Amino acid sequence: CTFLALGTHFGKVFLLDVQGNVTQKFEIVQVFGLYTREGFHENFDCPIKVVALHPQFTRSNYKQFVTGGTKLLLYERNWLNRWKTSVLHEGEGVITNIHWRANLIAWANNVGVKIYDISTKQRITNVLRDNVSLRPDMYPCSLCWKDNTTLIVGWGTSIKICAVKERNPTEMRDLPSRYVEIVSAFETEFFISGLAPLADQLVTLFFVKENSDQMVMMLEFRARPRLDIIQPLPESCEEISSDALTVRNFQDNECRDYRLEHSEGESLFYIISPKDIVVAKERDQDDHIDWLLEKKKYEEALMAAEISFKNIKRHEVQKIGMAYINHLVEKGDYDSAARKCQKVLGKNMDLWENEVYRFKTIGQLKAISQYLPRGDLRLRPAIYEMILHEFLKTDYEGFATLIREWPGELYNNMAIVQAVIDHLKKDPTNRTLLTTLAELYTYDQRYDRALEIYLRLRHKDVYQLIHKHNLFSSIEDKIVLLMDFDKEKAVDMLLDNEDKISVNRVVEELGDRPELLHVYLHKLFKRDHHKGQKYHERQIGLYAEYDRPNLLPFLRDSTHCPLEKALEICQQRNFVEETVFLLSRMGNCRRALQMIMEELGDVDKAIEFAKEQDDAELWEDLISYSIDKPPFITGLLNNIGTHVDPILLIHRIKEGMEIPNLRDSLVKILQDYNLQILLREGCKKILVADSLSLLQKMHRTQMRGVRVDEENICESCHATILPSDMAKPFSVVVFHCRHMFHKECLPSPGTIHGVQFCNICSAKRRGPGSGILEMKK
């Protein structure tokens, strides 16, 4: 158990628990075992000031301890269980402080601080007192071990951190095996009454003296003691925190009247004064949260609680969050308060409902509406309906936003539909309410009503609604409305879903709106030239009426269009280009050419038409028509050089006729003629060179040797071509066709003296059986 042993000026010892309650009281002045019956009695030359037990002291036994008076005495049990006394140090006055850690004993007297190694029985060092002007009995030395080898010494206003280190064996000689290095030394502002380690920092108890300018004679008086946490540096320190302590009669206390003790393994520190004992402990996260809440830093407190929720004991994250929400509401920051609800209330539906009603009371339902639960965990439908009704009274846009964002199963859909209908009675053309009503109908699967509203509003979502819920059967009688809204989208939708709404049905619905029918049939024709073939005749008139630029492409691409009907319509409307095309397609090219020349007066188009038809009679008609028209003659001279002999045109030109740019035209004709001659000569040279090259290649090929081996046979006698005895002379004839014969097997030469032919190949050329007959000869 943890306890505090407190000795008084009169020699009494009290044992206190951590709450300060007295558990035991002793009135004996001797070393006494609390948990054993063993005691120790010895007469000392002076009163015992300090006692230090071996660190391995337990409840059941103690084998070594030291006492301090004017001598430092070591008491230890021998093997006979008797006490053996050794003097470790004497002759330097009263020993005021002793601390034992592992094998090292540190003590202080009026001269300085000594360290003794009990394992080697050697005194290691002597750390002298710095400020000798201070009375050591009034400003005693404070000692504490940070660890097994680090001693912290505080005396007056000076602090030293001493590290016990092992000496290099080669340097020992007669020196102790260990030595002390002062790793940090610095001065403080006040007088040191006690020291204790806190991780890498120090807890310091300071005695403070102050001077008051208001006091007569400038008398010195004392202030409250301070408990500081400092960070030691090699030659200075950094203050981390500082607290002034209020203890009874602090005005009468001296530096020697204060002590600081600490409990190893626990962050507990005991400040001992003549009239009070103050227990200090390291602040935990709960303390930090208390301070934040006290300063009304709720957001930081909530964050700290969330980060350390496993370590806090007195606080709950949700309660801190509720305090934060209450604070925000009191400030009037309703939106922030509502937003925090989402994080703080979490899955607690009861708390959610309480907050909703609180926001309703203060008239801020709108603030909390966007943060309400809407997933697997949700509030009662009445809560959501209450908020929707509130919005419906004052904010149609906000109401519409909630309907879009909230899943329909959160509330009674029919009740909200009826509420919207009631509001529409007062404002029947309100677009926001109508759109929202359509969304409610959609969720309730009353698509026909939703579709009717969307079409009435010409709303862009109508096409998405039709596709998503397959409402094509519902729009068969609404095709005109859809196309009035957006022709392109409507036609694309209808054509993409021909299996649901047939072409015939669409044409029937659009019968009274030919301009819409044309858009539909035109897109249908673009997709497939044959699907709407029975409407092609009707389309001629539609193109002529609403889309003439696409009439000629339609006439060119359609194979189902009645040409006579098309010609009639085009002639009635005097569409010359279309009429020319139809006449040429029907075979009346001369009439078509006549229209180009007479009605269009376009010689270039006439020449182009004559080139396309490539008919000599058309060229004759064109020349005859152009012969008395100088501009036409110029056009012909510039263009017909490669199609008709220009001389025929030039001979027919009347003498004295003025022809624009005649010289240039004649020059162009001559250039075209020269170009043709050059092309012919070039082609001739290429042909001759190619023929010669191929002839040489053929000759080289025919001059190559032909392999003859034992597998080859005579095509006449069918015996192997090579004799069994290669030593005897023999003759073989091999033709370029690779047919082989014994020379004696070949028939007599043909009509050409000395020329032999392959009978097999000759027979193939002359006909069946001719080869056999030839061989018989």
Side-chain angles (χ1 to χ4, degrees):
C1 62
T2 301
F3 62 90
L4 180 66
L6 180 66
T8 69
H9 181 72
F10 297 105
K12 296 181 180 180
V13 177
F14 296 90
L15 295 187
L16 310 178
D17 61 20
V18 292
Q19 283 78 31
N21 302 312
V22 177
T23 59
Q24 294 188 57
K25 178 182 177 182
F26 301 95
E27 296 186 4
I28 53 176
V29 183
Q30 66 178 33
V31 177
F32 185 82
L34 295 177
Y35 297 99
T36 68
R37 294 182 179 180
E38 295 183 74
F40 177 81
H41 180 73
E42 177 72 17
N43 292 323
F44 300 100
D45 297 334
C46 63
I48 298 174
K49 293 291 185 182
V50 286
V51 177
L53 300 175
H54 191 283
Q56 294 180 350
F57 167 81
T58 65
R59 293 183 179 183
S60 58
N61 69 312
Y62 51 95
K63 296 182 178 180
Q64 290 179 312
F65 63 91
V66 291
T67 62
T70 56
K71 299 179 182 179
L72 181 67
L73 300 176
L74 170 66
Y75 294 88
E76 54 185 343
R77 289 184 185 275
N78 58 19
W79 63 279
L80 295 175
N81 205 26
R82 294 178 181 176
W83 289 103
K84 177 185 175 183
T85 304
S86 303
V87 178
L88 301 182
H89 180 73
E90 64 179 330
E92 289 184 355
V94 178
I95 295 172
T96 58
N97 205 343
I98 305 175
H99 277 271
W100 191 338
R101 183 73 175 255
N103 291 323
L104 299 175
I105 303 172
W107 69 94
N109 55 27
N110 294 344
V111 177
V113 176
K114 281 77 174 171
I115 301 177
Y116 183 86
D117 187 348
I118 198 169
S119 61
T120 60
K121 301 186 183 303
Q122 293 176 321
R123 196 173 76 181
I124 298 173
T125 190
N126 179 23
V127 181
L128 296 176
R129 179 161 59 102
D130 289 338
N131 193 342
V132 295
S133 64
L134 296 175
R135 290 174 52 186
D137 60 328
M138 297 296 292
Y139 298 94
C141 177
S142 296
L143 298 176
C144 69
W145 288 98
K146 178 183 176 183
D147 53 45
N148 288 349
T149 58
T150 305
L151 178 68
I152 303 170
V153 179
W155 210 332
T157 57
S158 172
I159 292 180
K160 294 179 180 178
I161 300 178
C162 307
V164 179
K165 298 185 177 181
E166 298 289 337
R167 196 183 300 276
N168 191 325
T170 60
E171 301 175 357
M172 281 188 180
R173 299 178 185 175
D174 297 331
L175 299 174
S177 61
R178 292 183 176 184
Y179 69 97
V180 170
E181 179 182 334
I182 299 176
V183 296
S184 177
F186 51 89
E187 292 292 319
T188 61
E189 186 178 355
F190 307 110
F191 297 99
I192 300 162
S193 294
L195 292 170
L198 179 64
D200 292 332
Q201 299 170 342
L202 285 179
V203 179
T204 57
L205 179 62
F206 286 127
F207 171 73
V208 182
K209 285 184 179 181
E210 292 184 355
N211 293 325
S212 174
D213 296 334
Q214 299 176 354
M215 293 189 66
V216 182
M217 304 296 291
M218 298 294 290
L219 293 177
E220 186 179 72
F221 72 96
R222 296 173 182 85
R224 293 181 296 167
R226 281 179 38 169
L227 187 68
D228 286 14
I229 298 176
I230 61 174
Q231 177 69 56
L233 301 173
E235 297 180 356
S236 62
C237 65
E238 180 183 350
E239 182 182 291
I240 306 300
S241 70
S242 179
D243 290 286
L245 307 179
T246 300
V247 295
R248 282 186 292 176
N249 299 336
F250 67 86
Q251 300 90 343
D252 302 328
N253 293 340
E254 300 282 354
C255 182
R256 64 183 178 183
D257 294 324
Y258 295 110
R259 288 280 301 275
L260 175 63
E261 298 292 340
H262 75 284
S263 175
E264 292 186 14
E266 298 181 22
S267 295
L268 289 176
F269 301 88
Y270 300 91
I271 298 93
I272 303 167
S273 71
K275 296 292 184 180
D276 275 328
I277 298 177
V278 178
V279 181
K281 62 179 181 178
E282 188 177 3
R283 286 187 178 272
D284 57 15
Q285 198 66 6
D286 283 294
D287 297 322
H288 180 54
I289 292 171
D290 283 334
W291 183 83
L292 291 171
L293 292 175
E294 181 182 344
K295 300 295 182 182
K296 295 189 176 181
K297 297 184 177 183
Y298 294 99
E299 186 168 11
E300 295 178 31
L302 182 59
M303 188 181 301
E306 288 171 342
I307 293 172
S308 307
F309 72 96
K310 291 183 179 179
N311 298 324
I312 57 177
K313 299 178 179 64
R314 294 185 286 104
H315 291 284
E316 295 179 14
V317 173
Q318 195 168 70
K319 288 184 178 179
I320 297 171
M322 289 301 300
Y324 187 21
I325 292 171
N326 294 336
H327 173 68
L328 292 172
V329 170
E330 291 171 4
K331 281 176 55 180
D333 190 354
Y334 303 113
D335 185 71
S336 297
R339 190 176 350 30
K340 284 298 174 187
C341 287
Q342 202 170 30
K343 184 177 184 179
V344 172
L345 305 183
K347 300 178 180 180
N348 192 323
M349 295 300 110
D350 292 333
L351 285 179
W352 266 111
E353 292 197 5
N354 291 339
E355 286 303 304
V356 171
Y357 282 115
R358 177 164 74 152
F359 273 73
K360 181 182 187 316
T361 303
I362 60 178
Q364 292 295 327
L365 276 178
K366 290 182 181 179
I368 201 171
S369 62
Q370 57 183 317
Y371 304 109
L372 293 182
R374 60 184 75 170
D376 295 335
L377 293 173
R378 57 189 62 170
L379 307 176
R380 292 181 295 113
I383 301 295
Y384 300 99
E385 292 167 18
M386 176 179 69
I387 294 173
L388 288 173
H389 282 294
E390 183 70 20
F391 270 87
L392 197 53
K393 291 177 186 177
T394 57
D395 184 0
Y396 287 163
E397 292 295 337
F399 173 77
T401 300
L402 290 183
I403 292 298
R404 281 193 297 271
E405 293 179 352
W406 284 1
E409 61 267 17
L410 291 180
Y411 49 85
N412 185 334
N413 195 67
M414 290 305 300
I416 302 302
V417 166
Q418 188 57 50
V420 175
I421 291 173
D422 292 340
H423 278 265
L424 279 171
K425 290 177 182 177
K426 304 172 188 175
D427 189 1
T429 61
N430 188 287
R431 188 176 182 87
T432 301
L433 285 181
L434 286 170
T435 304
T436 308
L437 183 59
E439 292 173 1
L440 290 167
Y441 279 140
T442 300
Y443 177 76
D444 207 28
Q445 298 184 1
R446 290 191 279 179
Y447 303 120
D448 53 342
R449 296 193 179 186
L451 182 61
E452 184 179 345
I453 294 174
Y454 278 136
L455 288 173
R456 174 182 166 189
L457 296 174
R458 301 169 72 90
H459 198 282
K460 61 182 179 61
D461 289 346
V462 65
Y463 298 104
Q464 181 183 353
L465 179 71
I466 294 168
H467 275 291
K468 185 175 181 180
H469 301 292
N470 196 20
L471 304 180
F472 295 98
S473 59
S474 301
I475 64 168
E476 287 187 350
D477 57 346
K478 300 179 178 63
I479 293 174
V480 173
L481 289 174
L482 285 169
M483 292 196 66
D484 278 336
F485 173 33
D486 189 328
K487 290 191 289 290
E488 297 299 322
K489 273 192 175 182
V491 171
D492 287 338
M493 182 188 71
L494 292 169
L495 292 177
D496 290 340
N497 296 275
E498 286 182 48
D499 55 328
K500 301 180 178 92
I501 302 180
S502 67
V503 174
N504 295 338
R505 178 62 176 164
V506 176
V507 172
E508 180 184 346
E509 285 294 315
L510 297 176
D512 296 333
R513 296 290 299 277
E515 74 281 7
L516 300 179
L517 177 61
H518 165 68
V519 175
Y520 175 77
L521 290 176
H522 173 64
K523 280 209 167 186
L524 175 64
F525 180 74
K526 286 292 184 184
R527 290 196 179 195
D528 191 329
H529 292 346
H530 307 288
K531 269 189 179 178
Q533 62 185 28
K534 68 178 182 177
Y535 302 110
H536 284 198
E537 181 177 351
R538 190 172 182 179
Q539 280 185 268
I540 300 169
L542 294 173
Y543 276 111
E545 181 70 25
Y546 303 107
D547 190 11
R548 186 191 170 185
N550 282 314
L551 174 57
L552 189 56
F554 170 73
L555 294 173
R556 285 199 180 104
D557 296 337
S558 173
T559 58
H560 307 286
C561 176
L563 299 179
E564 294 82 1
K565 179 68 174 178
L567 182 61
E568 179 185 349
I569 293 173
C570 292
Q571 287 177 336
Q572 287 174 355
R573 295 176 178 266
N574 197 29
F575 292 169
V576 178
E577 291 186 15
E578 292 81 355
T579 303
V580 168
F581 169 76
L582 290 170
L583 287 171
S584 65
R585 189 167 176 182
M586 295 170 71
N588 196 349
C589 296
R590 301 187 75 175
R591 173 61 184 148
L593 181 62
Q594 183 182 357
M595 288 191 69
I596 294 173
M597 293 186 295
E598 293 180 356
E599 298 190 28
L600 293 179
D602 189 341
V603 64
D604 294 330
K605 196 171 187 67
I607 293 169
E608 187 66 29
F609 182 77
K611 288 180 180 179
E612 289 177 1
Q613 303 302 320
D614 196 21
D615 187 342
E617 291 184 0
L618 287 180
W619 283 111
E620 178 62 29
D621 291 344
L622 180 56
I623 292 171
S624 300
Y625 178 81
S626 305
I627 203 64
D628 59 347
K629 299 176 180 62
F632 272 59
I633 293 174
T634 302
L636 286 172
L637 289 172
N638 289 336
N639 290 282
I640 68 171
T642 57
H643 296 274
V644 180
D645 188 353
I647 299 299
L648 296 176
L649 175 61
I650 293 171
H651 283 167
R652 295 176 63 176
I653 298 174
K654 296 178 182 180
E655 292 186 7
M657 179 181 288
E658 291 187 9
I659 300 172
N661 301 318
L662 177 60
R663 176 180 173 277
D664 295 340
S665 299
L666 292 175
V667 170
K668 186 176 184 304
I669 289 172
L670 293 174
Q671 288 176 343
D672 290 346
Y673 180 77
N674 287 334
L675 179 61
Q676 288 184 18
I677 296 300
L678 291 173
L679 286 173
R680 288 177 183 178
E681 291 179 352
C683 289
K684 181 180 178 181
K685 288 180 180 178
I686 292 171
L687 288 173
V688 170
D690 286 351
S691 298
L692 179 60
S693 174
L694 291 173
L695 180 62
Q696 291 172 345
K697 182 178 180 181
M698 183 182 73
H699 184 258
R700 287 195 305 271
T701 302
Q702 290 179 346
M703 290 296 292
R704 289 177 183 171
V706 179
R707 179 183 176 85
V708 179
D709 55 28
E710 296 176 352
E711 295 179 358
N712 298 113
I713 61 172
C714 174
E715 297 294 341
S716 179
C717 67
H718 299 295
T720 56
I721 199 73
L722 299 177
S724 57
D725 186 2
M726 296 291 291
K728 294 180 180 181
F730 66 95
S731 298
V732 175
V733 178
V734 181
F735 292 98
H736 288 301
C737 60
R738 297 300 185 265
H739 289 136
M740 302 179 185
F741 297 89
H742 295 125
K743 187 173 182 181
E744 59 270 16
C745 294
L746 278 174
S748 58
T751 55
I752 303 175
H753 181 71
V755 178
Q756 288 285 352
F757 299 96
C758 174
N759 290 359
I760 295 174
C761 294
S762 299
K764 288 179 181 177
R765 288 194 292 269
R766 292 195 298 271
S770 58
I772 298 174
L773 293 174
E774 188 69 27
M775 292 181 71
K776 286 181 180 180
K777 292 179 181 179

